[in-house]
Amino acid sequence: MQNEELIKKWLNDELTPAEQETFEESEEYKHFSKIWDGLEVASPPFYDVEKELAKFRENQASTTKVIKVSWTKRLVGIAASLLLVSVLSYILFQFTKQNQTLSFTAAQEELYLPDSSLVILNKGSKLSYSPENWAAKRAVELEGEGYFKVKTGSKFEVIAEDGVVSVLGTAFNVKQRASFFEVICHEGKVRVATTQDTTLLTLGKAFQLEAQKVQLFEVTALEPSWLKGESSFHKTPLSVVIDELENQYEISVDADQVSLKGTFTGSFPNDNLELALDAITAPAGYTYQVLNDKVVFTSENN
Amino acid sequence: MAKKDIGVCDESTFNEVFRKNGTELFNFLHFKYRDEDEAKDLVQEVFGKLWENCEKVSVEKSKAYLFVVANNLMKNVLSKKSTALKHQEYVKTKEASTETPHYILESSEFEGQLNQALSELPEEQRLTLLLKRIEGKKQREIAEMLGISEKAVEKRLFKAMKHLRKRLGNIL
């Protein structure tokens, strides 16, 4: 090909006026400019950005992501989709009956509320709400422990035995076990109202109520450890820790022979009973014995 | 300070990013694949990635992020219908115009051949050429978008044009 340099310069808009003139007189220029002009044919079709954005929003509302649990995402995705389908069919089913309350009992499950807020329930937990009243009031009742990722919007309330947690749109964890009530704010702001008073939690702040005693502390975790298969505690009474152990492993713990006066700060795995028992008993100086689904704690001094 | 303050997690912020960059991203993917549905799906996928990582990407960086993801995604696309095939369909269905029959014949032959020749180009060359020709991007901008050097952009442009010239030699 002739004029290769000129062609390159032409493509790069680097021709001097003199070169431009020379080039334009050449046979090559005629061909190249015809091709160049003809490339108009490759113009893309019209892209309706508003329509595509609406489609995007629709897809986001119905897909799962947001929460990163440590298992393979695919499995979680499939499980969540199945769950979503069953939740939706359940909702549809329930709509045929009037004034019903929906409730879910979980062995750690993800579920979506009508506004696509996400709730992950820890083992042995129960969540209920009324779908009919949902549009008027976003409120759920919780027994046990749940992690909430709430879509921004009107006030959202989690009603537990010992308090009410209200937010506008944020991520937080609520735990109500027996007389133990704990709220951890993982994003934004959370208001915790108990019979005694009201506390506003910001990112990384936590509230704990145990036997009428309020404790405020800070956490650095971006999400609750139980999402990753670990139960964590901060200066929590041993009795509460043992309750959680019983809940996670579906065992019963006999702690009659030890004093359960102390508190526990730390965590135990939810999938390895022996490690979990070591984690709890070692700091307190207990030993334990496992008999089928029963565990007996004994004091080493005995 | 909440994480979402620095990212694009806020819904209205994210929507703005979509409106601002959606069309350009679509065009980019269309240049590369010459398939409208494919390009639309990929735009959705790319924004899906941005949404997943919204707290890590600032508004200023979001455009660069979108094109990096688009570039990476494209490498994973498999089993596409032959673009050449698509092309024949496209030429056939092109709307009728009011030109004289002779001109239509001549020009549609040229357009058809040009389309065909474009489809034969390696994707990277076609993308580079059309970013320049249709979007009017500067060599430097294309280099940034594709993560290659300006020299490489110039080379691709020249190669692409050389191929088209050779391919259409008989009807120019």
Side-chain angles (χ1 to χ4, degrees):
Chain A
M1 197 184 306
Q2 302 153 3
N3 300 328
E4 198 163 294
E5 281 315 305
L6 286 179
I7 294 161
K8 282 183 180 167
K9 283 188 174 176
W10 173 65
L11 284 171
N12 297 336
D13 312 308
E14 285 168 350
L15 286 175
T16 63
E19 285 171 332
Q20 181 86 25
E21 209 171 300
T22 320
F23 183 54
E24 281 180 12
E25 278 165 12
S26 70
E27 194 66 12
E28 282 305 291
Y29 174 75
K30 245 178 71 189
H31 295 149
F32 273 100
S33 64
K34 186 176 178 189
I35 291 171
W36 191 255
D37 292 343
L39 282 174
E40 194 68 45
V41 78
S43 297
F46 172 70
Y47 182 75
D48 188 340
V49 74
E50 287 302 328
K51 194 176 135 202
E52 293 296 320
L53 175 58
K55 192 168 119 197
F56 180 80
R57 283 289 160 216
E58 219 173 277
N59 290 340
Q60 289 309 315
S62 62
T63 50
T64 74
K65 23 150 220 82
V66 192
I67 286 295
K68 285 162 193 157
V69 193
S70 60
W71 315 313
T72 66
K73 281 180 189 166
R74 189 168 304 198
L75 265 179
V76 174
I78 292 166
S81 324
L82 285 175
L83 186 72
L84 186 67
V85 169
S86 54
V87 166
L88 285 177
S89 35
Y90 191 49
I91 289 170
L92 274 176
F93 171 68
Q94 289 292 351
F95 260 118
T96 60
K97 306 183 201 169
Q98 284 299 303
N99 289 322
Q100 279 276 355
T101 299
L102 291 190
S103 53
F104 305 91
T105 316
Q108 193 173 334
E109 283 182 329
E110 290 186 22
L111 47 101
Y112 287 88
L113 298 170
D115 61 348
S116 75
S117 290
L118 172 71
V119 187
I120 306 179
L121 289 180
N122 200 347
K123 222 173 161 187
S125 305
K126 195 176 151 196
L127 182 88
S128 42
Y129 66 93
S130 155
E132 289 97 75
N133 297 337
W134 188 262
K137 193 179 181 195
R138 300 198 293 172
V140 297
E141 279 180 40
L142 174 75
E143 290 168 36
E145 180 164 23
Y147 175 62
F148 295 82
K149 273 214 150 184
V150 175
K151 287 268 161 173
T152 313
S154 59
K155 191 164 88 171
F156 183 104
E157 285 186 342
V158 179
I159 301 157
E161 195 187 336
D162 284 338
V164 175
V165 183
S166 51
V167 303
L168 292 176
T170 176
F172 59 99
N173 190 70
V174 182
K175 181 174 182 172
Q176 172 80 61
R177 302 273 196 210
S179 64
F180 177 82
F181 179 57
E182 185 186 79
V183 181
I184 300 175
C185 177
H186 291 283
E187 195 187 304
K189 281 184 195 134
V190 174
R191 184 182 301 278
V192 184
T194 64
T195 49
Q196 297 166 0
D197 62 41
T198 299
T199 313
L200 190 69
L201 299 179
T202 52
L203 174 73
K205 297 276 192 299
F207 172 96
Q208 204 183 79
L209 176 70
E210 158 70 13
Q212 309 293 314
K213 221 182 84 199
V214 171
Q215 192 188 153
L216 294 173
F217 58 98
E218 290 188 10
V219 293
T220 48
L222 295 173
E223 53 184 35
S225 63
W226 59 267
L227 293 180
K228 298 194 180 75
E230 223 173 54
S231 297
S232 293
F233 305 89
H234 176 87
K235 290 188 190 161
T236 305
L238 268 172
S239 58
V240 174
V241 177
I242 288 169
D243 281 350
E244 189 62 43
L245 184 78
E246 289 179 325
N247 173 50
Q248 290 294 338
Y249 290 95
E250 291 170 19
I251 52 165
S252 85
V253 174
D254 176 355
D256 289 348
Q257 299 174 47
V258 297
S259 80
L260 288 179
K261 285 275 176 274
T263 63
F264 177 77
T265 298
S267 60
F268 65 74
N270 294 340
D271 57 358
N272 186 331
L273 180 59
E274 212 169 299
L275 270 182
L277 286 167
D278 285 341
I280 298 171
T281 54
Y286 304 152
T287 52
Y288 61 88
Q289 250 189 314
V290 183
L291 306 156
N292 297 323
D293 55 354
K294 200 175 166 201
V295 180
V296 181
F297 279 17
T298 46
S299 172
E300 271 172 350
N301 305 330
N302 281 0
Chain B
M1 182 186 64
K3 280 188 304 170
K4 61 196 239 180
D5 290 343
I6 53 165
V8 292
C9 293
D10 176 65
E11 203 158 317
S12 65
T13 308
F14 188 89
N15 289 354
E16 271 321 294
V17 172
F18 195 111
R19 288 191 181 98
K20 237 174 157 176
N21 300 295
T23 304
E24 193 173 345
L25 195 60
F26 168 78
N27 291 352
F28 182 94
L29 291 159
H30 192 270
F31 293 153
K32 178 118 178 180
Y33 291 120
R34 320 209 68 198
D35 181 325
E36 188 174 350
D37 293 335
E38 176 82 58
K40 277 184 183 167
D41 287 351
L42 287 169
V43 172
Q44 295 279 334
E45 203 175 327
V46 172
F47 276 101
K49 288 265 187 269
L50 178 65
W51 186 240
E52 267 174 41
N53 294 300
C54 66
E55 74 271 12
K56 297 177 205 146
V57 184
S58 66
V59 176
E60 299 75 43
K61 296 254 168 71
S62 55
K63 182 173 179 179
Y65 178 86
L66 290 169
F67 282 94
V68 166
V69 173
N71 266 326
N72 292 339
L73 272 188
M74 292 194 299
K75 287 170 194 155
N76 300 327
V77 177
L78 294 169
S79 70
K80 292 307 153 211
K81 219 186 205 181
S82 142
T83 41
L85 251 176
K86 284 263 158 188
H87 249 286
Q88 285 161 8
E89 288 163 22
Y90 172 73
V91 171
K92 265 187 234 149
T93 57
K94 202 159 187 300
E95 280 167 34
S97 69
T98 54
E99 309 290 346
T100 65
H102 178 257
Y103 180 84
I104 293 170
L105 185 68
E106 194 189 53
S107 87
S108 71
E109 192 194 358
F110 174 69
E111 281 188 3
Q113 297 264 8
L114 182 55
N115 253 323
Q116 183 66 37
L118 263 175
S119 298
E120 293 162 5
L121 282 178
E123 285 165 359
E124 297 298 341
Q125 281 184 27
R126 181 171 57 241
L127 174 61
T128 309
L129 177 65
L130 296 180
L131 282 173
K132 170 85 185 168
R133 171 62 180 86
I134 310 287
E135 299 278 81
K137 296 274 180 212
K138 302 243 181 334
Q139 267 75 339
R140 179 181 45 77
E141 293 172 297
I142 300 171
E144 269 171 30
M145 284 171 103
L146 301 179
I148 57 175
S149 68
E150 274 184 62
K151 266 272 164 286
V153 173
E154 289 173 8
K155 251 188 200 156
R156 282 185 189 176
L157 274 179
F158 180 68
K159 272 192 171 166
M161 284 303 282
K162 203 165 122 183
H163 174 82
L164 297 180
R165 166 74 184 86
K166 203 173 137 199
R167 204 41 193 70
L168 299 168
N170 53 340
I171 55 162
L172 280 167

